[in-house]
Amino acid sequence: LAQQAGKWATDDVVPTTYKQYKVASFSGGCFWGTELHYQRIPGVIATCIGYTQGAVKRPNYDQVCSGSTGHTEGVQLLYDPTIVSYERLLTKLFNTLDPTLLSSWKR
């Protein structure tokens, strides 16, 4: 997924499907923690992390952490909708972060 997600990013494409799977993108909190939660859900086929929404093209970690780029940490995943629903994925997101705060991770 990482190679394909990189191609989507450089082509400014936001897909909804890939092969027989659905594609979902979420942001907020720490992408490492969010990614791990999704990797543990049956029906999630693959995950890929990166930065989203900011004004700087291809920022590095230090730039994003400085808060000056406007980026949030995100995770993109492939999932099989016959095994896991989009609603289940959203529930996991809202159970792991506070959507009212920027980069708020529930521990």
Side-chain angles (χ1 to χ4, degrees):
L1 175 62
Q3 184 176 18
Q4 184 59 52
K7 182 170 178 8
W8 290 328
T10 56
D11 293 343
D12 288 328
V13 173
V14 180
T16 57
T17 60
Y18 179 68
K19 299 185 180 179
Q20 74 269 31
Y21 303 115
K22 295 279 188 176
V23 178
S25 301
F26 303 110
S27 67
C30 167
F31 53 45
W32 298 114
T34 303
E35 181 184 42
L36 182 60
H37 281 285
Y38 284 120
Q39 288 172 336
R40 293 177 173 171
I41 297 175
V44 173
I45 307 305
T47 61
C48 183
I49 57 171
Y51 304 114
T52 185
Q53 302 173 319
V56 175
K57 194 162 183 90
R58 297 191 182 119
N60 63 40
Y61 179 79
D62 291 331
Q63 289 173 308
V64 173
C65 288
S66 76
S68 65
T69 68
H71 285 82
T72 58
E73 296 183 30
V75 60
Q76 189 169 68
L77 51 99
L78 293 180
Y79 71 98
D80 185 336
T82 66
I83 299 172
V84 63
S85 69
Y86 185 76
E87 290 76 18
R88 167 78 172 93
L89 300 174
L90 282 177
T91 298
K92 176 52 77 177
L93 179 71
F94 292 131
N95 285 337
T96 57
L97 61 88
D98 182 342
T100 66
L101 301 173
L102 180 63
S103 298
S104 177
W105 174 254
K106 289 183 182 177
R107 300 204 193 300

